[in-house]
Amino acid sequence: MRLEARDLCAGYDAVPVLHGISLAVESGEIVAIVGRNGVGKTTLVKALMGVLPATGGQVLLDGVDVTRRPPSHRVRAGLRATYQERALFRELTVGDNLRLGGFAPSVHHQVLDKFPDSLSGRGTQRAGTLSGGEQKMLAAACAIVSAAPLILMDEPSEGLQPSNVDLLGRHIASAREHGSGVLLIEQHLALAERLADRFVVLEKGEVVEEGHAGDDHIHDRIAKRLVI
Amino acid sequence: MSRTTDTTWRRRLNALTLELLNGLSLFATLAIVALGLGITFGLMGVINLAHGEFIMVGAYVAFVVHEAGWSHWVSVPLAAGVLFVLGAVIEVILIRRIYRKPELTILATFGLSIVLRQLAELVFSKDFQSVPNPVPGATEALGVLFPTYRYILVAVALGTVVVTLLGFTRSKFGLVVRAIVADRDLAESAGIRTGVTNVLAFGLGAASAGVAGALVAPLGAVEPNLGLSYLPSAFLVVIVGGFSRLWGVLVGALVVAVVQTTLIHYYDAVWALIASLVLAVVMLQMRRSSVAGATA
């Protein structure tokens, strides 16, 4: 499966944030989107998912224009997303969140046991009462276990303790091995550099740098962009 | 002497039994009347001021069924069906444009209530119509005669309420509705078809109002303003029972029924109404405090 943005523009009310972004991600690869705060990374995920309507350009799934299709259509087509701020339905229980994620009760343990700080036995706990890190782990685990062809992950490592960041990295790499494509929005540069096959650097809602993991001095070029 | 005491006790016991049966009947009526509002207002957050008119339309369905010479019991599922379709259409053309906009919702549903009343006037005139009691007579229980239809109303109303509540709280559909209310964008991102779900949920809320209308039709006159008398009670029940849990409809109906029955018995209907309103204000205040405490 291939997700493609062509000259994608989006924003909030009268404030444009994305100014003609073009990029693509395919099943079986990890594309890291990096950039400083406020450059439009989260907005990009929302626009690709259709939660935020595009004000220009196109979103294509396997060449089919889905720009005007609702998020639910994109999910059914094979897209899955985890968000930075609202990872779970906080008012619902952990078990309810898993049911909504499409997991039958018999496989809930597969998701809950994905991280060592196991959430097993907490199916009836309200998701909003989990710590921020636990909510992030659960959302990431849901996305990874779903084995969706394409997963958009917005800052999945934020709020996680270092050992769980490493484990998260291994799970994301494992998802790629199993054929999922991952668009990884990540501030944790070391994690992004360890995982990504390709990099896209954003600045002020535009793509300013692209490269492959094997390109000469790619990490220096990215670091330079982020420091300036 | 002992014979006089015996008679007095029996009289008191009969009076108490009658009050309990009246209370049970009121509880069931309040629960079925408030059920739809519990779904649309409590669960979906839509302040539906046309809920009373949905009940009125249900009552007119019962009237039409009677005029056609059919059994009254046909009108209960028929009213549910008619109101489901009406509710679904209203959700599509009106409600879905004003979710999370309470001021617009109040104005729009108030306007809708006027339109529905005027339409009822145009079709049926302002005249009071009547739907005869399908089960006339009384049944004796615990030494007290009580209208048979009221027993049936209690059974059908509470049965409908419990089945609906179980459907909304135990099924995947109910979970999906709660997810949409909790976070619409996240629900969309989870692959939930929020548009279709909202149509179904609003339609089911309207359908339960239709059932309520068909059930209460034989209890009084069927006329365009019938819904106005039920709307405050429905809001009262939902406020007292709480917005966040649909089972609150049963709790709210029980509390309001106990308060009203007791005060009507010892004082009068005016004091019962005043007490109910005070109760609603206190519950609103307590809920606001608990929400503020939870978010502090």
Side-chain angles (χ1 to χ4, degrees), chain A residues 51 71 75-76 83 86 89 91, chain B residues 179 182-183 188-189 192-193:
Chain A
V51 172
V75 172
R76 286 195 297 280
Y83 294 99
R86 297 168 304 168
F89 296 100
E91 295 80 359
Chain B
D183 193 326
E188 282 268 358
S189 294
I192 294 168
R193 298 165 78 177

Side-chain angles (χ1 to χ4, degrees), chain A residues 15-137:
Chain A
V15 183
V17 176
L18 303 181
H19 307 280
I21 299 266
S22 292
L23 54 80
V25 57
E26 293 186 20
S27 294
E29 68 169 348
I30 297 174
V31 177
I33 308 287
V34 291
R36 285 172 290 172
N37 288 333
V39 298
K41 301 189 296 293
T42 295
T43 305
L44 175 62
V45 170
K46 289 180 177 175
L48 288 172
M49 275 306 291
V51 172
L52 192 66
T55 53
Q58 287 179 305
V59 177
L60 300 111
L61 269 174
D62 281 338
V64 178
D65 188 351
V66 295
T67 315
R68 303 290 162 220
R69 303 309 299 268
S72 54
H73 172 85
R74 301 177 202 206
V75 172
R76 286 195 297 280
L79 264 188
R80 186 114 185 183
T82 67
Y83 294 99
Q84 181 183 9
E85 291 167 355
R86 297 168 304 168
L88 300 169
F89 296 100
R90 295 185 187 123
E91 295 80 359
L92 306 180
T93 66
V94 169
D96 285 343
N97 271 278
L98 292 174
R99 280 176 71 200
L100 288 167
F103 301 104
S106 58
V107 297
H108 282 190
H109 66 93
Q110 285 180 23
V111 183
L112 296 173
D113 293 341
K114 209 70 183 167
F115 288 85
D117 303 326
S118 177
L119 295 168
S120 282
R122 294 164 78 179
T124 55
Q125 185 173 339
R126 213 159 60 87
T129 61
L130 299 176
S131 73
E134 287 172 331
Q135 291 184 35
K136 276 292 177 71
M137 285 193 295

Side-chain angles (χ1 to χ4, degrees), chain B residues 1-9:
Chain B
M1 179 69 183
S2 70
R3 194 170 181 174
T4 311
T5 310
D6 205 34
T7 309
T8 308
W9 272 107

Side-chain angles (χ1 to χ4, degrees), chain B:
Chain B
M1 179 69 183
S2 70
R3 194 170 181 174
T4 311
T5 310
D6 205 34
T7 309
T8 308
W9 272 107
R10 187 178 295 272
R11 210 174 284 155
R12 282 181 184 171
L13 190 64
N14 286 349
L16 182 66
T17 306
L18 189 61
E19 288 307 321
L20 281 173
L21 289 173
N22 275 327
L24 182 66
S25 172
L26 180 62
F27 163 58
T29 307
L30 286 172
I32 190 68
V33 159
L35 176 64
L37 200 65
I39 295 168
T40 54
F41 176 40
L43 209 55
M44 301 175 74
V46 177
I47 304 168
N48 182 16
L49 295 183
H51 180 72
E53 279 61 39
F54 289 175
I55 295 170
M56 175 268 290
V57 174
Y60 271 112
V61 170
F63 171 68
V64 170
V65 164
H66 162 66
E67 289 292 294
W70 296 345
S71 161
H72 174 71
W73 302 112
V74 173
S75 70
V76 177
L78 188 62
V82 168
L83 267 295
F84 178 83
V85 173
L86 181 66
V89 170
I90 287 169
E91 199 281 341
V92 170
I93 62 175
L94 181 68
I95 302 297
R96 71 172 42 182
R97 294 159 214 285
I98 50 178
Y99 282 117
R100 296 185 217 163
K101 295 172 185 166
E103 300 90 348
L104 283 180
T105 309
I106 289 169
L107 282 173
T109 56
F110 180 64
L112 176 65
S113 72
I114 295 171
V115 169
L116 289 174
R117 283 202 300 277
Q118 293 301 315
L119 281 174
E121 264 190 51
L122 277 173
V123 177
F124 298 101
S125 84
K126 279 183 176 176
D127 296 345
F128 284 23
Q129 314 287 353
S130 68
V131 174
N133 187 340
V135 191
T139 302
E140 188 178 332
L142 302 169
V144 173
L145 279 173
F146 196 69
T148 309
Y149 180 70
R150 296 252 180 186
Y151 284 117
I152 297 172
L153 184 148
V154 168
V156 175
L158 291 185
T160 305
V161 171
V162 170
V163 167
T164 307
L165 294 184
L166 282 174
F168 267 92
T169 52
R170 299 283 172 89
S171 70
K172 181 80 184 278
F173 175 73
L175 176 61
V176 163
V177 173
R178 285 183 283 138
I180 293 171
V181 174
D183 193 326
R184 190 187 181 91
D185 289 346
L186 195 56
E188 282 268 358
S189 294
I192 294 168
R193 298 165 78 177
T194 55
V196 174
T197 308
N198 281 335
V199 168
L200 292 175
F202 198 82
L204 285 172
S208 66
V211 171
L215 286 176
V216 300
L219 301 180
V222 176
E223 46 103 14
N225 292 321
L226 175 143
L228 293 176
S229 58
Y230 286 104
L231 187 66
S233 304
F235 269 103
L236 199 60
V237 167
V238 175
I239 289 169
V240 171
F243 311 117
S244 57
R245 291 179 192 276
L246 205 46
W247 286 100
V249 167
L250 278 178
V251 176
L254 184 64
V255 171
V256 173
V258 167
V259 167
Q260 292 202 348
T261 306
T262 307
L263 288 175
I264 287 172
H265 179 70
Y266 288 107
Y267 299 98
D268 56 37
V270 176
W271 279 108
L273 182 62
I274 290 170
S276 299
L277 292 174
V278 169
L279 184 66
V281 171
V282 169
M283 295 304 284
L284 274 177
Q285 194 62 35
M286 281 171 61
R287 297 245 154 70
R288 211 168 60 172
S289 303
S290 65
V291 169
T295 54

